[in-house]
Amino acid sequence: MSGIGTSASYLYTAVLSAGNADELNRLTDEWLNDHIADEIVSMQLAAAGREGGDTLYLLIVYRGERRVRRA
């Protein structure tokens, strides 16, 4: 198994949620446009809720730039 070439300090997560697939697609497109320079490591879709009231969740793990703090 090969690594993805990053360390945990460079990995970030985002969770998008919506009440239907069309709304989730719209939110996902917006998020991807805002993070065009970031490398997507994985995306996982999940649904939760009761009948007729399900919420869709999209977990995005991505590699961002390391931020340096200065004293």
Side-chain angles (χ1 to χ4, degrees):
M1 183 164 129
S2 65
I4 59 173
T6 188
S7 70
S9 64
Y10 291 89
L11 294 178
Y12 302 93
T13 59
V15 178
L16 307 179
S17 64
N20 60 54
D22 290 335
E23 180 68 10
L24 186 60
N25 282 335
R26 185 187 66 74
L27 290 172
T28 302
D29 287 344
E30 288 178 8
W31 189 93
L32 290 170
N33 285 337
D34 291 343
H35 294 86
I36 194 84
D38 296 325
E39 176 186 348
I40 305 300
V41 175
S42 78
M43 297 174 84
Q44 294 184 327
L45 179 65
R50 298 178 214 159
E51 283 185 44
D54 287 338
T55 300
L56 298 172
Y57 295 95
L58 182 65
L59 171 66
I60 303 169
V61 178
Y62 63 101
R63 188 180 140 225
E65 292 298 318
R66 183 176 173 191
R67 295 186 175 97
V68 177
R69 289 187 177 175
R70 295 180 186 222

